[in-house]
Amino acid sequence: MYKVKVYVTLRESVLDPQGKAVTHSLHSLNYPEVSDVRIGKYMELTVEKSERDLDEVINEICSKLLANPVIEDYRYEVEECVPQ
């Protein structure tokens, strides 16, 4: 069994209005040292071992459902875990 941590973020070339709003709010709260904020999504998947290649399965899941490949990038980390 695997725990897969998926991180989805907007591509660098895509404007992040939510991130800009947070940056502005941080400056208003007297945190001028924060120069930029990018907002993303974090998901954890528990995946059973199977005959399919895990990287192939995760890439399919991310590109078909979890991320919009036109405007978002994703990365993931895999941890093998013991079933409870």
Side-chain angles (χ1 to χ4, degrees):
M1 182 175 293
Y2 301 98
K3 178 184 282 187
V4 181
K5 298 176 180 180
V6 180
Y7 304 86
V8 178
T9 55
L10 288 171
R11 292 181 183 238
E12 285 296 322
S13 60
V14 176
L15 179 63
D16 183 354
Q18 188 177 11
K20 292 296 180 201
V22 171
T23 303
H24 178 72
S25 294
L26 289 170
H27 290 172
S28 297
L29 293 170
N30 201 28
Y31 295 102
E33 59 270 58
V34 178
S35 61
D36 192 34
V37 175
R38 301 287 290 179
I39 303 294
K41 299 180 276 189
Y42 169 75
M43 291 152 273
E44 287 187 2
L45 308 173
T46 303
V47 182
E48 301 284 337
K49 287 186 179 182
S50 74
E51 294 178 10
R52 295 182 65 190
D53 178 67
L54 180 63
D55 288 319
E56 184 179 311
V57 169
I58 300 305
N59 280 308
E60 285 179 14
I61 289 169
C62 289
S63 64
K64 289 181 178 179
L65 180 65
L66 301 182
N68 178 342
V70 174
I71 61 169
E72 295 175 317
D73 291 321
Y74 66 88
R75 66 180 176 83
Y76 60 91
E77 300 169 0
V78 177
E79 296 177 6
E80 195 159 355
C81 59
V82 179
Q84 297 178 1

